[in-house]
Amino acid sequence: MVDKIVMITGANSGIGKAAALKFAMEGYRVIMACRNMRISKAVQQEVAEASDNASVDLMELDVSSFQSIRSFCAEFKQKYPRLDILIHNAAYLNHGEKEYRLSPEQIELSFATNVFGPLFMTNLLADHLEKSQDARILHACTTNIKNFFDPKRKIDFDNLRGEFRNSRRYSAYKMYGDSKMALLILTFRLAEELKGRGIKVNALQINRVKLSKATIDKLSPFWRVLAWAQNLTNPLPSGMADNYYYICTSEEFRHVTGRLINHNREIIQPSTSEKGIEQLKNIFGSGSYPQYANDHQHAETLWDLGIELAKYAP
Ligand SMILES: NC(=O)c1ccc[n+]([C@@H]2O[C@H](COP(=O)([O-])OP(=O)(O)OC[C@H]3O[C@@H](n4cnc5c(N)ncnc54)[C@H](OP(=O)(O)O)[C@@H]3O)[C@@H](O)[C@H]2O)c1
């Protein structure tokens, strides 16, 4: 056994499940933080049996709900002495969704699940992470953020609570991309914030991975066909789970913080130019991220909003 505790959100399917299995195989104490306990219970048993590791715990968490996060973190702190690795893997993307959906605290659901929930959770768990000798946080980001190489693309900061739900068209894909860009911006901001406490924060830019049957079954018929077609060539989640493991445990990344890392485990740099041939390299390569992510004002806006929203957490 490795005397280290890893928490993975959304560990009941896809990359999260593969990561739970990887860490369990390597002898870690694994906390699967999942919302559907009926489905997740079977997955927990599967992971524990396949890895022959009895220290695979399942705890209930809805990352889109501040109330759920608060009680989850309180229960976790009672059960466990510290936290070594926190992987914010869970995400909301409902392809084809046309209506704004809000979280219990009235935040647009992609932003609640992918940004403000994880931020609230990290802030609540920071004191437990601080007790680790080598605390690492990993955010699941995506190549979708490349859309921000387009100079016209921006996060609609004024609509994160669905303020314009009656006048602005909802695009699930855009909202998802915006939320993942916000998560990247907060990766940089959090890394600065937590540096003095010995907690490292990085993001992994996930390119493409096979979707699980459970995830595909949630889609509308059109998107279901498309997802099955893409699955024919997309790689298995286990490869990306190996990246989670490597970034969160290897000596190579022990002192790395505030970075975006690609699927080849290379650190991605901010783009130097977003014009002409350089822009083509940005879009088709995996070595640069949009300058938009480094905007100090965006970081402060998101940070302040995260703190403000958390004040109203039940
Ligand atoms: N697959 C790809 O090609 C790809 C590409 C880029 C980025 N990513 C990122 O990689 C991560 C994992 O994706 P995946 O492909 O493995 O997707 P997945 O199989 O659909 O897994 C997503 C997980 O998140 C959980 N989840 C969603 N909302 C939640 C909530 N409110 N509370 C708790 N758990 C919640 C889901 O639980 P339920 O089963 O209860 O819904 C599920 O376990 C995500 O952050 C995704 O954005 C994936």
Side-chain angles (χ1 to χ4, degrees), residues 28-198:
Y28 282 70
R29 293 161 80 182
V30 179
I31 289 93
M32 298 171 54
C34 305
R35 63 175 166 183
N36 185 325
M37 295 307 265
R38 189 182 53 78
I39 293 172
S40 305
K41 186 77 201 152
V43 178
Q44 175 203 15
Q45 276 168 1
E46 190 188 325
V47 170
E49 277 169 27
S51 60
D52 199 17
N53 181 340
S55 298
V56 177
D57 195 359
L58 170 66
M59 293 179 63
E60 189 168 359
L61 170 71
D62 177 350
V63 197
S64 72
S65 155
F66 284 162
Q67 187 170 19
S68 171
I69 292 171
R70 200 189 282 290
S71 53
F72 168 86
C73 291
E75 191 189 335
F76 170 77
K77 287 180 184 184
Q78 279 195 340
K79 277 173 99 173
Y80 291 93
R82 60 165 203 288
L83 180 59
D84 297 290
I85 299 166
L86 169 58
I87 303 180
H88 286 297
N89 164 78
Y92 172 71
L93 166 61
N94 192 356
H95 291 275
E97 173 72 62
K98 295 202 169 52
E99 301 291 326
Y100 283 87
R101 292 185 58 195
L102 302 183
S103 72
E105 284 88 17
Q106 305 299 297
I107 306 164
E108 190 283 322
L109 199 53
S110 327
F111 270 81
T113 313
N114 308 349
V115 186
F116 295 117
L119 178 64
F120 184 52
M121 198 166 147
T122 293
N123 282 333
L124 288 182
L125 293 172
D127 55 350
H128 247 50
L129 282 158
E130 213 174 1
K131 293 178 191 155
S132 171
Q133 294 296 311
D134 179 18
R136 305 192 200 189
I137 299 174
L138 186 64
H139 291 153
C141 199
T142 165
T143 44
N144 188 312
I145 60 151
K146 288 185 182 190
N147 286 304
F148 283 82
F149 285 124
D150 176 354
K152 292 200 286 296
R153 178 68 178 259
K154 58 181 178 48
I155 296 174
D156 291 338
F157 288 109
D158 57 353
N159 196 21
L160 301 189
R161 282 174 265 190
E163 289 93 330
F164 290 94
R165 56 184 170 277
N166 295 323
S167 52
R168 273 187 213 163
R169 194 179 71 84
Y170 181 78
S171 160
Y173 196 60
K174 178 179 185 304
M175 206 51 112
Y176 171 76
D178 286 2
S179 72
K180 291 289 185 175
M181 171 50 82
L183 182 67
L184 177 61
I185 293 170
L186 282 175
T187 303
F188 301 147
R189 178 67 171 79
L190 259 175
E192 281 303 312
E193 190 75 21
L194 297 177
K195 206 176 242 170
R197 300 170 75 178

Side-chain angles (χ1 to χ4, degrees), residues 1 5-6 25 40 55 58 73 95-96 103 169 178 195 212 248 261 267 275 294 305:
M1 280 297 290
I5 304 164
V6 54
M25 291 280 215
S40 305
S55 298
L58 170 66
C73 291
H95 291 275
S103 72
R169 194 179 71 84
D178 286 2
K195 206 176 242 170
S212 69
C248 292
I261 299 154
I267 290 176
K275 291 192 181 104
N294 280 345
L305 187 55

